Amino acid sequence: ARDAFDVEKVTKRFFTQFKAEHQAFLDFIEGIDDLADKEWYRPAPATHALPTEIWREVVARRQRYEGLRAKLAAGEVREINDLITLNLDMTQFAQDVIERSEGPELLRAFWKAIEKVTVLDPTCGSGAFLFAALNILEPLYETCLDRMEGFVADLDRTGASAAAKRLTDFRETLAKVRAHPNARYFILKSIILNNLFGVDIMEEAVEICKLRLFLKLAAQVEPDQKHENLGIEPLPDIDFNIRAGNTLVGYATYEEVKRVLESKFDFENIANQILIDAADIAHKLRVFREVQTSGDQSIPASHKQQVQNDLSNLAKKLNMHLSNDYGITTGNKKAHSDWLKTHMPFHWFVEFFEISQRGGFDVIVGNPPYVQRTSITNYFIQGYETAPCPDIYGACIERSMNILDQGARIGLIVPISFQFSEDFLIARNLVKRGSSNIWVSAYSRNPAALFNAGLGVRNTILIGKRKNGVDAEIMSSRLYRWVEEARPQLFESVSYLLLPVKLQAFGWPRLDNAGVSKLFEKLLQFGGRLSNSGSLARSKLRFKTTALYYLSAFSIDPPSFNKYGQPISQTMVGQIAFDSDADRDRALAISIGKI
């Protein structure tokens, strides 16, 4: 369903039309042929450049654009991964495919896919990423419904007596739309109920998230003083979509529960009963959601209460087993109660049973918290491969991979330490082992940053396709620095380079230049060393052992002063010894650079 359309066929078919419609834009910018006579590092005028671009960057952007255009014209864009690597507008691409679909089969497949796609933010907070998902899905829903109406209208115009019996599924869907105040209300309601899911440990944040979604929906209806409740129908109940709980504490899958119980000799077959109970709850939840998008959308309060009671009872059983694993003695009610309050266990396979049974979520997005493990004092987590990682965002990545379906996609914003630090090697290996394709793009915090409000952290955006048993291809970008004025063009300018396997032993380097990549590969052919000298060699290369944006290296210590302007010795300096000044100077030339 995710790859419902043939990318190669579609790109070939639409390129000719695209070229005809945008020929003026596709021509080289006026005057670009004269760039040889210009100063390449001088700021380019606004008539030619994006904010802050110099002439060299203008030319590089135009060359990249022409390269993309050539790939599209030649039909070299063949699959979804190509769209990501080339950083193309996939939402617009999908809309174009649906709008120009010549038969109902493709539309039917796409509609079934987006109706069922499950998008999760495992640390959703007040819902920023879920709103982003809503904004992406909305035009896709709208385009599908518009095309359905077109197919039905075309069929009805034929006047054939059998026409009314065809495209029955389209007619039923359009009838559901007409039962709501307007089409946009139906679209947003359907997405909120069927596509969006979130979890957060802060109950207040969960309530704010739900409120924001409700307000978005309520804003689509014009109040009418003549009708009861101002003509606004009851808002959907999404208490089972957006949940409060600890993402990192609880059973992620049924297999985890089964292993735990089997290790304790499950003679009473408790594991099977848990599975039966979870399936029963899932059935009630499915009915609960379906009623809200069809019929009169009325839901008996007793129905919801029954689901909540069933979930609570099953959670109590699971919490008893889990608390034992956390060292809480069976029968110690106070200790168990305290543990529940501090750890807030959340059992993924029960709360989202149908999704779990299908293999997991289709899309996981978000920005996990950047919190050191040592700073968490009210609860602790256990059973994670990423336990040695010093920050819990490593565990959030692991949990996300565990509840992600095979072939599904993940997109997380994490600190840049994930990409290069030895402390997060385990997390990198876990993602690499469980993915077929990985894209990482890196972002500075100066002069502008992805997150403002003084967060002060450099970030990596990790994108991956889940698949076990393959060697992941890793695509990397350079480290992006930008001014706030250029933010609107930031993500459009991202480009990726296939990261050679040899270089992955040093983290996942931030490169988008093939020449630099080849240079490092050549160095590795010599073991990555310029010299095999020992510590007694006399030619010293010294370097600062702390670094943020640049690695400082020097053969002669640069002057250093205290806050009063008095000369002092350099501190936090390491050194490497070489046999000759020439070898040292070669190393100096290579080592000075951005990190």
Side-chain angles (χ1 to χ4, degrees):
R2 296 186 191 92
D3 299 325
F5 43 79
D6 185 332
V7 175
E8 180 180 8
K9 180 180 178 181
V10 172
T11 52
K12 284 182 175 179
R13 189 166 77 228
F14 294 122
F15 179 75
T16 302
Q17 181 175 350
F18 175 85
K19 182 177 179 181
E21 292 176 353
H22 303 278
Q23 185 59 53
F25 175 71
L26 294 176
D27 290 337
F28 271 127
I29 298 173
E30 181 182 358
I32 203 163
D33 292 333
D34 300 327
L35 286 180
D37 301 325
K38 299 182 182 294
E39 299 176 29
W40 285 79
Y41 291 90
R42 190 182 50 159
T47 54
H48 293 71
L50 298 175
T52 76
E53 275 189 332
I54 59 176
W55 277 112
R56 179 183 61 77
E57 292 169 331
V58 172
V59 172
R61 176 167 55 82
R62 294 302 304 177
Q63 289 175 337
R64 177 173 178 267
Y65 164 74
E66 289 299 321
L68 290 177
R69 177 187 177 191
K71 286 180 181 292
L72 288 168
E76 295 178 15
V77 180
R78 297 185 175 89
E79 57 182 50
I80 301 300
N81 289 343
D82 294 333
L83 298 177
I84 300 173
T85 300
L86 298 175
N87 196 17
L88 300 177
D89 188 338
M90 286 182 283
T91 302
Q92 186 61 58
F93 176 84
Q95 285 182 259
D96 291 344
V97 170
I98 298 305
E99 287 175 354
R100 295 167 172 80
S101 59
E102 298 173 356
E105 295 79 14
L106 174 60
L107 174 59
R108 182 175 289 113
F110 196 90
W111 176 254
K112 288 181 178 179
I114 65 169
E115 261 196 321
K116 295 180 180 178
V117 68
T118 53
V119 181
L120 167 75
D121 184 344
T123 54
C124 66
S126 59
F129 284 83
L130 294 180
F131 262 80
L134 179 71
N135 292 335
I136 290 173
L137 287 170
E138 182 185 351
L140 299 180
Y141 266 77
E142 182 180 5
T143 303
C144 283
L145 293 174
D146 287 345
R147 198 71 187 99
M148 283 184 195
E149 288 184 343
F151 278 124
V152 170
D154 289 344
L155 182 61
D156 290 344
R157 274 195 294 269
T158 64
S161 58
K165 297 180 181 180
R166 297 174 58 189
L167 300 179
T168 305
D169 54 340
F170 287 3
R171 297 178 190 276
E172 290 176 351
T173 298
L174 295 172
K176 289 182 182 180
V177 176
R178 289 190 291 272
H180 290 77
N182 53 60
R184 191 164 190 233
Y185 188 95
F186 170 81
I187 290 171
L188 296 177
K189 183 177 180 179
S190 299
I191 294 171
I192 292 169
L193 278 173
N194 300 323
N195 301 126
L196 304 184
F197 301 87
V199 177
D200 200 273
I201 196 170
M202 294 182 62
E203 295 182 6
E204 316 89 81
V206 167
E207 293 305 315
I208 292 172
C209 178
K210 289 189 289 188
L211 178 60
R212 291 178 67 194
L213 291 171
F214 288 148
L215 292 175
K216 177 81 171 180
L217 195 57
Q220 309 313 312
V221 182
E222 287 292 333
D224 188 343
Q225 300 290 340
K226 299 177 182 178
H227 291 82
E228 185 180 357
N229 198 36
L230 301 180
I232 301 174
E233 67 174 43
L235 293 171
D237 193 315
I238 57 173
D239 284 353
F240 299 112
N241 289 47
I242 315 298
R243 306 288 283 164
N246 192 331
T247 290
L248 302 178
V249 177
Y251 297 118
T253 64
Y254 173 67
E255 287 68 29
E256 289 183 12
V257 178
K258 196 173 180 180
R259 282 196 301 268
V260 168
L261 291 175
E262 287 178 348
S263 69
K264 299 176 181 178
F265 303 104
D266 185 18
F267 296 118
E268 298 179 6
N269 204 11
I270 298 174
N272 188 59
Q273 187 57 51
I274 288 174
L275 186 64
I276 293 172
D277 291 344
D280 180 60
I281 295 171
H283 172 71
K284 293 175 182 176
L285 272 174
R286 182 171 63 253
V287 173
F288 184 79
R289 291 192 177 99
E290 288 175 352
V291 168
Q292 296 188 72
T293 54
S294 61
D296 61 2
Q297 297 111 47
S298 60
I299 308 168
S302 58
H303 188 150
K304 178 179 179 180
Q305 189 61 52
Q306 183 62 56
V307 176
Q308 289 176 326
N309 291 341
D310 291 348
L311 275 173
S312 177
N313 291 333
L314 186 52
K316 287 178 182 178
K317 296 178 184 179
L318 294 169
N319 290 338
M320 290 301 297
H321 296 289
L322 185 63
S323 63
N324 287 336
D325 295 337
Y326 273 77
I328 306 299
T329 305
T330 302
N332 190 334
K333 293 183 178 180
K334 184 180 186 309
H336 182 74
S337 176
D338 292 342
W339 177 81
L340 288 176
K341 291 177 183 177
T342 56
H343 287 69
M344 296 182 64
F346 186 84
H347 306 295
W348 290 89
F349 91 95
V350 172
E351 301 282 352
F352 304 117
F353 181 78
E354 280 196 327
I355 295 172
S356 178
Q357 289 298 97
R358 295 202 303 263
F361 288 90
D362 299 307
V363 179
I364 293 181
V365 294
N367 173 220
Y370 312 155
V371 181
Q372 291 187 346
R373 284 176 179 264
T374 54
S375 68
I376 300 176
T377 57
N378 58 324
Y379 72 89
F380 67 96
I381 58 176
Q382 61 182 24
Y384 282 84
E385 180 182 338
T386 53
C389 296
D391 195 298
I392 66 168
Y393 80 76
C396 290
I397 292 174
E398 182 175 351
R399 176 50 54 94
S400 297
M401 294 293 288
N402 289 340
I403 58 177
L404 189 66
D405 194 7
Q406 289 289 313
R409 307 277 177 168
I410 188 171
L412 299 175
I413 304 179
V414 295
I416 205 170
S417 54
F418 166 77
Q419 199 169 334
F420 69 86
S421 173
E422 282 293 308
D423 290 336
F424 293 92
L425 174 62
I426 293 174
R428 287 196 299 275
N429 287 341
L430 183 145
V431 174
K432 183 178 178 181
R433 188 173 65 243
S435 307
S436 60
N437 302 87
I438 296 170
W439 296 262
V440 281
S441 52
Y443 303 87
S444 180
R445 70 177 190 184
N446 186 30
L450 287 188
F451 299 105
N452 293 321
L455 185 57
V457 64
R458 295 177 295 167
N459 294 100
T460 288
I461 296 182
L462 165 68
I463 301 172
K465 181 178 181 180
R466 181 88 163 91
K467 190 173 183 181
N468 287 326
V470 296
D471 293 327
E473 261 192 1
I474 301 177
M475 309 293 295
S476 179
S477 81
R478 65 179 173 88
L479 177 66
Y480 284 90
R481 293 186 175 90
W482 73 99
V483 296
E484 195 61 38
E485 182 186 2
R487 182 182 287 269
Q489 292 82 33
L490 174 62
F491 295 114
E492 295 177 2
S493 68
V494 172
S495 62
Y496 295 100
L497 178 74
L498 180 63
L499 199 59
V501 175
K502 292 180 181 179
L503 296 187
Q504 294 173 24
F506 304 92
W508 295 346
R510 300 177 293 283
L511 298 170
D512 68 349
N513 185 293
V516 174
S517 177
K518 290 178 181 178
L519 172 62
F520 279 111
E521 285 192 89
K522 288 181 179 178
L523 286 174
L524 290 176
Q525 292 176 7
F526 302 98
R529 297 176 180 273
L530 286 175
S531 172
N532 293 316
S533 301
S535 59
L536 298 179
R538 296 183 177 180
S539 297
K540 310 290 185 181
L541 175 66
R542 289 164 61 78
F543 60 92
K544 297 289 287 187
T545 56
T546 58
L548 181 59
Y549 295 111
Y550 295 90
L551 177 66
S552 300
F554 36 86
S555 56
I556 300 174
D557 284 11
S560 182
F561 304 91
N562 64 18
K563 63 180 180 180
Y564 303 108
Q566 299 168 336
I568 58 173
S569 299
Q570 286 283 347
T571 59
M572 303 183 75
V573 174
Q575 63 182 28
I576 307 173
F578 294 88
D579 282 332
S580 68
D581 288 352
D583 282 345
R584 179 204 62 201
D585 292 343
R586 292 189 187 97
L588 177 63
I590 293 172
S591 64
I592 297 176
K594 299 177 181 179
I595 62 171

